[in-house]
Amino acid sequence: QQQVKQSPQSLIVQKGGISIINCAYENTAFDYFPWYQQFPGKGPALLIAIRPDVSEKKEGRFTISFNKSAKQFSLHIMDSQPGDSATYFCAAHDYKLSFGAGTTVTVRA
Amino acid sequence: DAEITQSPRHKITETGRQVTLACHQTWNHNNMFWYRQDLGHGLRLIHYSYGVQDTNKGEVSDGYSVSRSNTEDLPLTLESAASSQTSVYFCASSGGGRARGGGMEQYFGPGTRLTVT
């Protein structure tokens, strides 16, 4: 079964709005939590990542929030732009990466 | 610039045929991975390698095999293609050793779309 559960499956946001994607896990051995961005016809690309000893990490308009006790983490895309329209995958690492099912984000102009 | 390439980009084959998908990286990374991507399942790990002559099964390895004879290449072979193996296949690589940090920052290739008829 999937070790990382991701929601929602898809979301639509207006330009300038906030996109929020949530992920949950059970395995407490996970030690690194990356997010990947994938455009149609391309391979996934590392977007931002966090380690479990940090509660938040921000890079530009992208922020990861991490709640270790709840075993949940989320990606926030601030001031969403049409160019952010893509599929986003959360993942978790023990000795390999386990991926969530993905969220397709559509930003309407 | 260093890169990871996959070939072919598109392949149509018939049920029962053997198919090999190529993956080549110039990052000089120790670690290489094969995933399949299907709607609703995200990326599922097929096989992975933490160095030359090292290969390991992932969560969906049945019907697939790999071998690693050098640092740069990890070809994926479908021994007898089945319609259930119609998918998009991604190769990835990462630096670091076999230790726990070795599979963290993975760089993905552009993918191979395989159709089995």
Side-chain angles (χ1 to χ4, degrees), chain A residues 2 9 29 31-32 34 36 38 41-44 46 51 89 93-97 99-102, chain B residues 9 33 35 37 40-43 45 48 50 59 90 100-110:
Chain A
Q2 210 142 29
Q9 190 172 11
D31 58 2
Y32 173 79
Y36 281 79
Q38 184 181 28
K42 305 290 187 183
L46 180 63
R51 292 188 184 262
F89 294 96
H93 175 271
D94 43 12
Y95 60 95
K96 57 176 175 54
L97 286 178
F99 285 85
Chain B
R9 295 294 314 278
F33 308 83
Y35 297 88
Q37 183 175 28
H41 291 279
L43 292 147
L45 184 63
Y48 59 101
Y50 279 122
E59 60 182 304
F90 287 100
R100 289 170 61 82
M104 285 184 174
E105 294 186 12
Q106 295 186 18
Y107 294 83
F108 282 79

Side-chain angles (χ1 to χ4, degrees), chain A residues 78-106:
Chain A
M78 313 300 286
D79 187 26
S80 297
Q81 300 296 311
D84 297 331
S85 296
T87 299
Y88 294 81
F89 294 96
C90 61
H93 175 271
D94 43 12
Y95 60 95
K96 57 176 175 54
L97 286 178
S98 296
F99 285 85
T103 297
T104 300
V105 174
T106 303

Side-chain angles (χ1 to χ4, degrees), chain A residues 46-87:
Chain A
L46 180 63
L47 181 64
I48 186 173
I50 198 168
R51 292 188 184 262
D53 54 347
V54 176
S55 61
E56 185 176 281
K57 183 172 182 181
K58 184 176 181 180
E59 289 185 3
R61 296 182 295 105
F62 298 90
T63 300
I64 300 177
S65 297
F66 188 84
N67 186 330
K68 189 173 181 178
S69 61
K71 289 184 279 188
Q72 295 176 349
F73 58 110
S74 60
L75 177 70
H76 291 64
I77 308 173
M78 313 300 286
D79 187 26
S80 297
Q81 300 296 311
D84 297 331
S85 296
T87 299

Side-chain angles (χ1 to χ4, degrees), chain B residues 45-106:
Chain B
L45 184 63
I46 304 172
H47 282 285
Y48 59 101
S49 167
Y50 279 122
V52 176
Q53 304 298 337
D54 175 80
T55 60
N56 306 277
K57 293 181 179 181
E59 60 182 304
V60 290
S61 60
D62 287 349
Y64 303 94
S65 64
V66 293
S67 64
R68 184 105 180 262
S69 58
N70 60 49
T71 300
E72 296 81 18
D73 300 287
L74 186 69
L76 177 71
T77 297
L78 287 69
E79 303 294 343
S80 177
S83 58
S84 60
Q85 295 176 308
T86 292
S87 186
V88 181
Y89 291 86
F90 287 100
C91 179
S93 70
S94 70
R98 190 186 181 91
R100 289 170 61 82
M104 285 184 174
E105 294 186 12
Q106 295 186 18

